[in-house]
Every structure is written in structure tokens, then in C-alpha cells.
Amino acid sequence: MMYHLPLLTSSEFATYLLNGISQGMIIFLVASGLTLIFGLIGLINFAHGALVALGGYGTLLIADATGSFWLGLFGAIALVALLGLVLERSVLHRVYERPLLGFLGTFGMYVVIEELISFQFGDQARQIASPLPGYVSFMGATYPKHRLLIIAIGFAVALGIGALLSYTRLGMEIHATATESETAEILGVDSARVYTLTFVIGAALAALAGGLTGPVTSVSPGMGMSYMILAFLVIIVGGMGSFKGSFLVSLIVGQITAFGWLFLQPTYVRLGVFVAAMVFILYKPRGFFGKPEVFE
Amino acid sequence: MSAVAELRRYFTETKRWLLVPVLLLAILPLVTEQYFLSIATQAIILGLFAISVDIALGYVGLFTLAPAAFFGIGAYSVAKLVVDYGSSYWLGFPAAIVLAVVIAVLIGYGPIKRRIGLVYFVLFTLAFGVLVHDFTYATTWLTGGSNGLGYLTAPTLFGIDLSRTVPYYYFALLAVVVVAGLLYWLLSSDYGDVLHATRQNEVRMRYLGYDTDREKLIAWVLSATVSSIAGALYVATVNVASPSLMAFSLTGEVTIWVVIGGLGTFFGPFLAAFGLTIFESYLGAVLPEGYLLILGALFIVFVFVLPDGLVGLLQRWRDGE
């Protein structure tokens, strides 16, 4: 069904804009973990969506038990990062040379984790209480504080990971291993350690996304899947393995979903995003910022 | 030559051993009750679906995440014609085949011609699969949206009421045996060897003068078409074509069946799909939510420990003797 294009007041415009940014930030947090793991290891990590859901449920449970959202969020991040470490060290590092097995294996992990959550907590969505309830008003609009918090954390993480990749020794080692792992090893980089650390960082980002989005969208066993599909498409359009690309494209997709429904039903907006991603895969597989050496 | 050796030769050197499972399936209605038979009907149809996915995944190595989309296209073709246009049930099958061929060519031509890598093919078909599912969900005027298209049953043919359990079981068995038989005949021919060789070393096949893009496209269209036929057969067993028939979870399940059965082994995926569907119905009585959990755990074991699947396991056991 088509909607008429209404004239937006400035407060409505600000609300949509901020909705788009906060939505984009969640997508970015999911996509950044995926793109780090993909860019370095070449692994399509299907278990990522399950880690997002685990982050959400971990935050919910610890926050319920202790009464502190922050304790819940950081506890969930630590636990999911630990799980990432265990998964990577126990099985995943064996299949890096075989992308098909890696994809299938992480897909199996996704199914098991999601079903375990659904088995334990049921399928119904559950809400997490925000640490910052209430609203702020500006430009005539009232806006939930929690979404502003998401935006702030999203930007902080983007800057932090960007700095990590550009200015630290670990960042250099990640770049070196992604480009020429053998040469990097000759020069003294412990590539196994770099792989493990990257996977753990990716898992922690997934948990952060799941916990942060809980108060806005609620948590359910399948919550990771819809974000992950969108995130996959974001990292294609942004350029596989490009951190900057996934940040920019996440924000663009966030704005498209926020403003798109003024013209079209949300589902049709989603359809448009998928079609765009398919066209990109065919005609511009490196996206906007992808580098040629990254996996074809 | 002893009688046992003679018998073994009779069954193994020719393909006559295939008659055994077919005969077992044929006498199944005589020894089971109605409820089990309706599950068995779905299980053999899903077995055909698994074979169709094995053509793309196992034979040519095209890792598709869109099989449920084609399964659903088949189911909706039949349901749309019967429910909304009141036309004949039988018209649904050619419609399902034509629609699947057209869409498969449209979707497959670009990625296969441009030779995009494994990762991109996975994501391309993932996007297509989700697209088809969301489209079906959103276009209520065309597909009935979340309610789906129902209610439909199989018609009467030559005085036999196919909407009853036993006749539909035999109808589905006949259809599956005919389609799977044709596929097996095709894939046992040189064409099957070309596909296996293309998967193993595509560059060398091109040097040998094979148009590998064409062979892959043919296999892709074949796979999609058989998926669609399976969907068209399936819809009469559930009476409603609903978006769940194209959901990602079905794609996940069929991928798991194919890997557990053994990639590129034809019978393995059928066996795994059949066995696990029956297992699901038994488990449903004891532990209703445990099926996917067990399936996922089993899948992980197969991927990391037994990547050759059930058939590989059998072969290893036979060779070890």
C-alpha cells in the first residue's frame, strides 16, 4: 500500500533521523564483528546472529539478577567473548582453509545456540529495562534517552575499533595477516593469536549489539537472524572486510529504513535493500570500500 | 559360485538393489496406520527435495541458500491455481515447473556467468531466499500474506480419491520414484561425471573444452525445478500454502539433511531427509522442541567429524571389511 508523502515537521524529521541513526548503529555493531572476522579469516560466521541473541539474553538475566543493566551488559559481553574464545580454539580454527565447512559448522552452531535459548526461555519476546529511562526534548520533539545512548556507544565503538585497527600494534598485525599471512608470520606475527583475538573481539561486538538493542526492540531467540541478514548485506555493499564501509553503509541503511516507511510499507523497504544488495554482489562485489586482495 | 555370492552380485553389480527400498516403501501402507503414513508421505517428498538440493550443493558445489524459495514457489503455484482461480490441480504442476525454470534462469544466470565466488554466491542466494519469503508475506493480495492460500486437497483421478491418505501416499511415491529415477539416470550418465569434474577442477574442465558455465546453469535450473516439483507435491499434504514453506528454517533443515546424508551421493540426502522427518514426528510426542536442537548438534558432529556424511560412513565401513 502506498502512503501519501506527508509534510514533515522539524520535530518529526529529527525523530526519524535519530531513529535511523540508532537503528544504523545496532546494524553497524553486528556488521562490524562480521566484517572483522570475514575480512581477516574469510569465514562467513553464521553463528554471529546467535551470539547477538546470547548477548541479549545474558544482559537480561544478569540485569534481572543484579538489578544493574551495566553489570548485565558487561557480564554478557565477557561471557560471549569467552564462548567465542572456546569455539574458535576448539573447532573453528581447524576449518579456516575450508570455507564451506566453516560456513556449515557455524551454521550448525547458530541452530544449536538459538534452539537452546528457545528451549530454555521460550519463544516469546522479553523486554530489558533501560538504564536510562525517560525522554529528552529538543526541537519540539521528545526522544527516548536510551536511543541516544545507543548512538553514543555506537560512535564510541566505531572510533575505538577504528583507532585499534589504525594505530595499535594489534591493528597492524591484523592488517598484515589479512593481506599476507605467511609474510606476516616470517616477520614475527603470531597469526593464530591474531585470528583468535579478532574472533573474540567480533563475538564481544555481537554481544554488545544484542544487549544494547534489548530495551528498544526486546530480546527473542531469533533476534540475531534478522539483524545478521541485514548486516551481511551491509558488509557486501560497504565492501567485504572494510570497517569504514560497514560503518557508512549501516548508517545509510538505518536512514533508509527510518524514512523509507513514509513512502512504503517497512517490508517493501527491506525488499528494496535486498534487491540492492543482490545487484551489488553481481556488479560491484567489492562494494564501496572493499580491497581487491580481500576474498573473492 | 555360491548362492549368496550370486545374490550379492545380482544386487550390487547392477542397480537392482534399488528395487529393495522402493518395494519396502510400496508395502508400507499395509503395515502402518494412517497417521504414520501421512508423515511418511511428507518424508518421501522431502527426500526428493533433499535430492534436488544435493544436485546444486553436492554435484556442482553451488552453495545455495534459496532452496526453500523454490520449494515454496512450487507449493504456491498449485495453491494459487486451485484456490484462487479454481482451476485443475494438475495444471499446478506444469505451472510450478515453468515458473521455477524462469525464475531459476533469471536468478542464476548472472551469478554463474560472472563466476562470483562461493561466499558471494551464498550471500546472493541468501538475499534471494529472504526476498521471496518477505515478498510472499507482504503481498497479501497475491499470496494471502501470513494466512497463506488454502484450503486445498488433491482431486479424484480415475475414480481414486487422492485426498485420502493411502492413495496420496502411492501417488507421491510414484511421482518421487519417477522424478528421482530420471534424475538418477541423468546423473549416472556422462553429464553427472561432467558435474563432478567441474566441481573438482573447473579450470581444467574449461581447458578440455567444456562450457562449465552452461553445465552449472543447467544443473542449477534442474535443482530449482525439482525443488519446485517437491513443493507442488507437498502442498496437498498440508492443505495450505503458507510462508513457512519458504522460511529460512526449511532451507537450513534441507542443508542439514544433505550434509548428514553425504554431499553428492544422491541417496544419502534422501535417506537422511526421510529418516530425520520420521524421527521428528516420533520425537514430537516426547520432546516437542528438541528436534532442531538434536538436528543442529548432529549436524555439527557430521561437519567436523564425518564430512562425508552417512554414505561416506557406510563406504568406509564396507571398505574396512
Side-chain angles (χ1 to χ4, degrees), chain A:
Chain A
M1 297 305 113
M2 295 289 288
Y3 286 97
H4 293 291
L5 174 60
L7 285 171
L8 287 178
T9 62
S10 64
S11 68
E12 279 169 339
F13 180 80
T15 308
Y16 290 145
L17 187 73
L18 289 172
N19 278 348
I21 298 176
S22 68
Q23 175 74 5
M25 282 304 169
I26 297 291
I27 299 172
F28 161 70
L29 288 176
V30 179
S32 61
L34 273 180
T35 202
L36 270 180
I37 294 169
F38 183 83
L40 176 66
I41 307 173
L43 174 75
I44 309 185
N45 179 20
F46 229 88
H48 205 73
L51 299 182
V52 172
L54 272 184
Y57 274 88
T59 308
L60 173 76
L61 292 180
I62 303 176
D64 272 359
T66 62
S68 159
F69 175 84
W70 295 111
L71 213 57
L73 185 63
F74 287 114
I77 291 173
L79 287 175
V80 172
L82 188 68
L83 179 69
L85 179 71
V86 172
L87 289 180
E88 204 274 345
R89 277 291 90 198
S90 59
V91 281
L92 283 179
H93 75 275
R94 290 164 212 224
V95 294
Y96 289 162
E97 303 296 314
R98 305 170 74 180
L100 184 61
L101 280 191
F103 173 71
L104 290 172
T106 52
F107 176 69
M109 289 171 185
Y110 165 77
V111 173
V112 169
I113 296 174
E114 193 197 291
E115 288 304 315
L116 273 177
I117 296 175
S118 147
F119 197 72
Q120 187 66 35
F121 304 106
D123 283 329
Q124 71 278 21
R126 294 170 67 167
Q127 197 79 28
I128 302 178
S130 170
L132 276 179
Y135 296 82
V136 287
S137 45
F138 63 94
M139 288 171 72
T142 52
Y143 200 75
K145 282 181 191 160
H146 187 84
R147 279 178 181 267
L148 294 177
L149 180 71
I150 291 176
I151 295 173
I153 293 181
F155 271 109
V157 168
L159 287 175
I161 302 280
L164 174 83
L165 288 175
S166 305
Y167 300 116
T168 65
R169 177 161 179 95
L170 178 65
M172 294 296 137
E173 288 184 352
I174 290 176
H175 275 300
T177 310
T179 321
E180 271 298 337
S181 67
E182 282 171 19
T183 315
E185 278 204 23
I186 292 168
L187 294 173
V189 175
D190 181 357
S191 62
R193 193 187 65 110
V194 173
Y195 285 140
T196 308
L197 276 176
T198 309
F199 197 88
V200 169
I201 295 173
L205 287 171
L208 175 65
L212 265 188
T213 193
V216 180
T217 57
S218 72
V219 295
S220 61
M223 66 185 282
M225 188 65 188
S226 51
Y227 276 121
M228 191 172 57
I229 291 177
L230 217 50
F232 271 133
L233 306 180
V234 161
I235 66 176
I236 292 165
V237 178
M240 289 277 199
S242 163
F243 190 74
K244 188 172 54 177
S246 65
F247 182 71
L248 285 176
V249 176
S250 297
L251 284 181
I252 294 170
V253 170
Q255 292 307 326
I256 292 173
T257 32
F259 283 96
W261 74 267
L262 289 172
F263 313 101
L264 282 171
Q265 274 187 5
T267 324
Y268 288 112
V269 177
R270 246 164 81 87
L271 295 185
V273 174
F274 289 143
V275 172
M278 287 167 76
V279 171
F280 257 89
I281 296 177
L282 279 186
Y283 297 104
K284 206 169 179 340
R286 283 174 204 142
F288 284 129
F289 298 98
K291 297 173 196 69
E293 69 264 25
V294 178
F295 287 79
E296 290 284 305

Side-chain angles (χ1 to χ4, degrees), chain B residues 144-253:
Chain B
S146 57
N147 292 327
L149 291 171
Y151 174 89
L152 79 154
T153 53
T156 303
L157 181 71
F158 304 132
I160 305 165
D161 182 6
L162 288 181
S163 66
R164 284 165 48 231
T165 310
V166 177
Y168 197 77
Y169 174 79
Y170 278 114
F171 167 67
L173 182 62
L174 182 71
V176 168
V177 167
V178 168
V179 175
L182 283 173
L183 279 176
Y184 186 66
W185 171 73
L186 180 71
L187 294 170
S188 314
S189 71
D190 293 350
Y191 179 65
D193 293 341
V194 169
L195 293 185
H196 273 304
T198 303
R199 187 192 68 239
Q200 283 160 15
N201 197 333
E202 191 175 338
V203 177
R204 184 167 293 175
M205 286 301 277
R206 253 181 256 143
Y207 282 143
L208 288 171
Y210 286 94
D211 184 353
T212 53
D213 294 342
R214 195 192 63 186
E215 312 295 356
K216 282 159 87 175
L217 188 64
I218 293 172
W220 162 255
V221 173
L222 193 66
S223 162
T225 310
V226 178
S227 295
S228 174
I229 294 174
L233 280 171
Y234 190 83
V235 68
T237 70
V238 288
N239 307 115
V240 180
S242 62
S244 67
L245 294 183
M246 352 181 114
F248 182 77
S249 56
L250 184 64
T251 294
E253 259 185 275

Side-chain angles (χ1 to χ4, degrees), chain B residues 20 102 144 266:
Chain B
V20 176
V102 170
F266 198 87

